[in-house]
Amino acid sequence: MVLNDCKIIELPQVHDPRGNLTFIEAGRHLPFEIKRVYYLYDVPGGSTRAGHGHKNLQQLVIAMSGSFDIELDDGYTKQKFHLNRSHYGLYICPKIWRLMDNFSSGSVCMVLASDYYDESDYYRYYKDFLRAVRPEKVHE
Ligand code: TYD
């Protein structure tokens, strides 16, 4: 099951009374080299983000502030994760449909990605995603 390859990664923490510190080293804490970083912020209450899949992109999603939910779907199984700590990241492998919602007020979602933005790497429609991962399920 592809979904089994997606997992929560615990990042190193340096505890300090002055404030904690977490670091991420490409190729060490992640199974990919980081080519892009982006973040979602000022997300209005009730918003849903993502709602797409990627053909080849790998990502690590971190709740830098606040919390939100991510539902992952490999075409067979769905699994929901609640992210609320900045020293945990959710690794998302290729060919996973994802939906993000339940953003807390002021939350910031940072994503480390294995490649540059490329619209042709997206599955924008669930049917196209399903056709790629589970063709027997799609009836035209
Ligand atoms: P998208 O990935 O579709 O976000 P969501 O599915 O949550 O709505 O991105 C939204 C828009 O931002 C889309 O028009 C493409 C653009 N975009 C970039 O230009 N670069 C990026 O790195 C990302 C992630 C998105």
Side-chain angles (χ1 to χ4, degrees), residues 7-11 24 30 32 38-40 50 52 54 57-64 68-72 81-93 98-100 103 108-113:
K7 55 179 185 294
I8 296 286
I9 293 179
E10 186 169 0
L11 300 164
I24 306 168
L30 298 180
F32 59 87
Y38 64 91
Y39 31 95
L40 298 171
H52 61 245
H54 283 285
L57 194 70
Q58 301 177 73
Q59 294 170 303
L60 187 81
V61 181
I62 302 173
M64 296 303 282
F68 49 84
D69 294 337
I70 309 187
E71 186 183 75
L72 303 185
F81 295 86
H82 181 66
L83 295 186
N84 62 354
R85 301 303 304 272
S86 50
H87 64 284
Y88 286 111
L90 176 63
Y91 169 71
I92 308 180
C93 65
R98 82 290 311 271
L99 202 66
M100 303 172 61
F103 287 89
V108 178
C109 166
M110 183 176 77
V111 182
L112 311 180

Side-chain angles (χ1 to χ4, degrees), residues 75-76 126-127 130-131 133-140:
Y76 294 85
Y126 191 76
K127 202 168 182 180
L130 213 51
R131 192 179 288 117
V133 300
R134 199 178 175 187
E136 73 281 3
K137 187 89 172 146
V138 183
H139 304 292
E140 295 293 349

Side-chain angles (χ1 to χ4, degrees), residues 36 38 40 49-52 117 119 122 124:
R36 174 167 55 114
Y38 64 91
L40 298 171
R49 296 291 317 221
H52 61 245
Y117 171 75
E119 186 58 36
Y122 280 74
R124 288 289 185 189

